[in-house]
Amino acid sequence: MDEIKNTVNSGDSLVQAESMLQKFLKNTDYRVLAVKGKWGVGKTHLVRNFLDKHHKNYYLYASVFGISSIEHLKARIVGNYQQNLKFKPIKDFIESLNRNYSKLEKTPKLDFGLSGSLLAVGGDLLLEIFFNLNLNSNSIICIDDLERNSDLPLNKILGFVEYLVQTFECKIILIYNEDELEQESQNALEKYREKVIDKELNFAPTVEENLDFIFKDSSDLDIIKEVFKKTGTNNIRVIKKTKWLIRDLIPLMEDWESSFRHQIIRNIIVISVATLDTDFCKRLSIDGIDPVDTIILSRVYNPQYQTKYQQEDEKTSIKKLQLMQKVEEMGYRHLEKLDELISKLVNSLLSDSTESDFREKGHLLNQREKRNKILKKLDELANNLYKFKYYNSFADNEQDIINGIITFLQENHLQLSILQFEQIERLTSILGLDISEYEKPLLEKILTEIFEQDFYENLISLRNKLSKYPDLEASLNEKIKEYHQTLDITRVVKNIINPDDSSMPSRIKQDIEFLRNITVDEYCQWLKKDDPDLYRMVGWVLNSGYQPAPKNLEQAIRKLAESSNINRIRAKFLYEIDIDSHHTGDTTN
């Protein structure tokens, strides 16, 4: 059927829209086509890309955004006409106008390139001549952004369109978002729609069509399509901005687990769409809440949010729970502070500091992902070998169990913790299987990650294991020594008192161990330094109970109090340490 739909439906896909454009341009009866659609779906790209491909020499384009008169619109149309402009026949006429009609009303000087400089010389009369010379029945004129114009009424634009059709019999394509037209423009459109517009195309490309256009070279296209489809956005600007953010962050995740990297991509998409697409909540039939605030801040401790949350009514709380359920169905999973960073980067540039912050926060979560994966594999090993082959039968399957354990160790031994390795070791010892060849490589790997978040939890186990390997034991002691040299008392105490989000329990334990190893003389040197928080820090250490740190610090205060009267006063009245009273403290140095 060689016809374009005459009524507005739920929306025309990219394939349908291109077919309609082709039929409109071929049909000599149709003169004006309205291409409508929401902001960002790619209306302008659809039309211009199609015309560039099929009718490059005959089309003119102009946006009415910012224009104030029909003359401005004419000037913008010819100023954007890049093909077959007729300059030579009017050069002499331009010079004549410049000499004899210097008082002629001038066309406002806009940025038209070469044609604009010529038009500025000749004024409105030359504009009219120039405009008429370059229009004929083969011309196609695109007038874009009708909903964005504020100075030139829509009824005048539609009148100009009707003039072009009647005078030049050319094709006109109007591009606009009907939902965003002001009331006056809507009234004008309804009044003149039947008279001026022959056919309408309601462009609503599928999510997949716009994704194929923007993400066509992405190695993660399947995951990206999966999540974007669930969000329901086909807004090209939103998809492009999301692509840019993914492109910026992918290099920072190069060595991370693929499952974790894919989860970050899912979160980037959901957070970006929730931030940029104003119809996000509307599509989910949820209104009256901030989607980003709900998705991210409600999942982390934030005093300001907690106060706000307590004041919410039940209806708002239910909406937020519904939204969280829906975004989780889209593939979103909470990634703690990494989500807050992603949210900030949706509309801001990646800097060296944010790049470092992303790497640091992501690295900690990636380590957790590795541990979760190995736990899952251990569960699978336990079910497949221990339970099914050991508990459930008296069959002669010992070799099957041994082979399964060896295969598991060959693939995963470097990812195990000491505790997990020992669990396997206990079973293999019963079976008479020696797995010591996997032990030293594992310990060497652990030593390279000695100050990762869970290291301190297994320090005793690690020391026991290393007793069989003097070279590794010496390496451990050297690494601990080097680490302690990077610390200072002030930083350690403040970190323990006011831990930030990256301060894991194991790291705090390392800091406490550091304080326990500080000598009296080292505490003396620290006390002499100027710090506005010294009083609070000293008080905390003295009352911490992490011996011998409190005893050594008190001894340092007593030692300094004996050196001057002012220090004697400080010791007594700030910290209630009276050196004149009897004291039998520990003098460990």
Side-chain angles (χ1 to χ4, degrees), residues 219-280:
S219 59
D220 300 301
L221 183 59
D222 290 341
I223 293 171
I224 291 169
K225 277 187 175 181
E226 173 194 335
V227 183
F228 261 115
K229 283 181 180 179
K230 291 177 180 178
T231 67
T233 187
N234 63 354
N235 188 303
I236 283 184
R237 285 193 286 271
V238 172
I239 297 174
K240 278 185 176 179
K241 284 191 174 184
T242 306
K243 176 187 178 180
W244 299 337
L245 182 53
I246 293 174
R247 179 195 61 199
D248 289 343
L249 295 181
I250 282 291
L252 308 183
M253 303 184 268
E254 187 175 0
D255 299 324
W256 294 356
E257 294 291 307
S258 59
S259 57
F260 180 55
R261 185 169 60 86
H262 290 162
Q263 186 58 59
I264 292 176
I265 291 174
R266 292 186 182 97
N267 282 26
I268 290 172
I269 294 171
V270 171
I271 293 171
S272 295
V273 173
T275 304
L276 300 170
D277 190 342
T278 55
D279 290 332
F280 178 68

Side-chain angles (χ1 to χ4, degrees), residues 255 257 363 366-367 370-371 374 411-418 438-452 455 462 466 472 475-476 479:
D255 299 324
E257 294 291 307
H363 176 69
N366 187 59
Q367 294 300 102
K370 285 183 178 180
R371 290 195 302 275
I374 201 68
E411 295 175 353
N412 304 291
H413 71 283
L414 293 180
Q415 305 301 322
L416 296 172
S417 67
I418 292 176
Y438 301 103
E439 184 178 62
K440 188 171 184 179
L442 171 61
L443 296 175
E444 290 173 335
K445 171 78 164 23
I446 291 174
L447 277 175
T448 64
E449 301 171 348
I450 188 171
F451 296 116
E452 297 294 347
F455 161 73
L462 180 59
L466 293 181
L472 298 185
S475 177
L476 170 64
K479 285 180 178 294

Side-chain angles (χ1 to χ4, degrees), residues 487-505:
L487 300 178
D488 63 75
I489 300 173
T490 297
R491 184 156 67 95
V492 166
V493 173
K494 287 184 177 181
N495 182 51
I496 298 173
I497 297 175
N498 300 308
D500 59 25
D501 296 302
S502 62
S503 298
M504 299 297 174

Side-chain angles (χ1 to χ4, degrees), residues 45 144 208 410:
H45 180 269
D144 199 354
E208 192 163 4
Q410 288 173 340

Side-chain angles (χ1 to χ4, degrees), residues 195-206:
K195 176 178 175 59
V196 178
I197 298 174
D198 296 321
K199 295 293 176 180
E200 297 183 5
L201 187 166
N202 184 28
F203 187 47
T206 65

Side-chain angles (χ1 to χ4, degrees), residues 331-349:
Y332 172 85
R333 296 293 180 271
H334 182 54
L335 296 178
E336 301 173 10
K337 285 291 184 178
L338 204 60
D339 281 349
E340 286 190 84
L341 190 57
I342 290 170
S343 178
K344 293 176 183 176
L345 290 172
V346 170
N347 285 313
S348 64
L349 291 171

Side-chain angles (χ1 to χ4, degrees), residues 288-508:
I289 61 173
D290 182 336
V292 179
D293 178 89
T294 301
I295 293 170
I296 298 174
L297 293 182
S298 63
R299 306 295 292 270
V300 298
Y301 177 74
N302 182 303
Q304 184 177 359
Y305 179 82
Q306 295 300 323
T307 302
K308 179 180 176 182
Y309 178 78
Q310 292 171 0
Q311 298 171 351
E312 289 177 353
D313 56 37
E314 183 179 356
K315 188 176 181 181
T316 301
S317 298
I318 291 173
K319 287 181 179 180
K320 289 191 172 184
L321 288 174
Q322 291 173 337
L323 178 62
M324 286 309 307
Q325 181 181 356
K326 290 179 183 295
V327 297
E328 286 173 2
E329 291 171 358
M330 294 174 189
Y332 172 85
R333 296 293 180 271
H334 182 54
L335 296 178
E336 301 173 10
K337 285 291 184 178
L338 204 60
D339 281 349
E340 286 190 84
L341 190 57
I342 290 170
S343 178
K344 293 176 183 176
L345 290 172
V346 170
N347 285 313
S348 64
L349 291 171
L350 189 68
S351 66
D352 289 343
S353 61
T354 51
E355 180 178 320
S356 175
D357 203 15
F358 183 87
R359 287 182 187 274
E360 180 182 349
K361 289 178 170 58
H363 176 69
L364 294 176
L365 294 176
N366 187 59
Q367 294 300 102
R368 183 190 300 174
E369 181 78 4
K370 285 183 178 180
R371 290 195 302 275
N372 290 339
K373 287 182 71 173
I374 201 68
L375 285 172
K376 184 177 179 181
K377 289 181 179 180
L378 280 170
D379 287 341
E380 292 172 353
L381 180 70
N383 286 328
N384 293 333
L385 299 181
Y386 303 169
K387 183 177 179 180
F388 298 145
K389 295 185 181 295
Y390 177 72
Y391 288 106
N392 295 358
S393 171
F394 265 79
D396 186 11
N397 53 17
E398 179 178 338
Q399 193 59 48
D400 289 343
I401 296 175
I402 290 174
N403 290 342
I405 294 172
I406 291 175
T407 299
F408 175 83
L409 288 172
Q410 288 173 340
E411 295 175 353
N412 304 291
H413 71 283
L414 293 180
Q415 305 301 322
L416 296 172
S417 67
I418 292 176
L419 179 61
Q420 290 165 343
F421 185 84
E422 289 176 340
Q423 289 173 342
I424 298 174
E425 196 174 38
R426 281 193 290 272
L427 175 64
T428 57
S429 64
I430 296 173
L431 297 173
L433 176 64
D434 181 12
I435 60 172
S436 59
E437 64 179 292
Y438 301 103
E439 184 178 62
K440 188 171 184 179
L442 171 61
L443 296 175
E444 290 173 335
K445 171 78 164 23
I446 291 174
L447 277 175
T448 64
E449 301 171 348
I450 188 171
F451 296 116
E452 297 294 347
Q453 55 182 345
D454 284 337
F455 161 73
Y456 200 84
E457 298 291 339
N458 298 313
L459 182 58
I460 296 176
S461 299
L462 180 59
R463 285 193 181 279
N464 292 337
K465 285 287 184 183
L466 293 181
S467 62
K468 294 186 291 184
Y469 309 101
D471 58 326
L472 298 185
E473 188 173 30
S475 177
L476 170 64
N477 294 330
E478 185 62 29
K479 285 180 178 294
I480 292 176
K481 181 180 177 181
E482 290 175 359
Y483 173 70
H484 283 175
Q485 289 174 349
T486 67
L487 300 178
D488 63 75
I489 300 173
T490 297
R491 184 156 67 95
V492 166
V493 173
K494 287 184 177 181
N495 182 51
I496 298 173
I497 297 175
N498 300 308
D500 59 25
D501 296 302
S502 62
S503 298
M504 299 297 174
S506 56
R507 181 62 55 85
I508 292 176

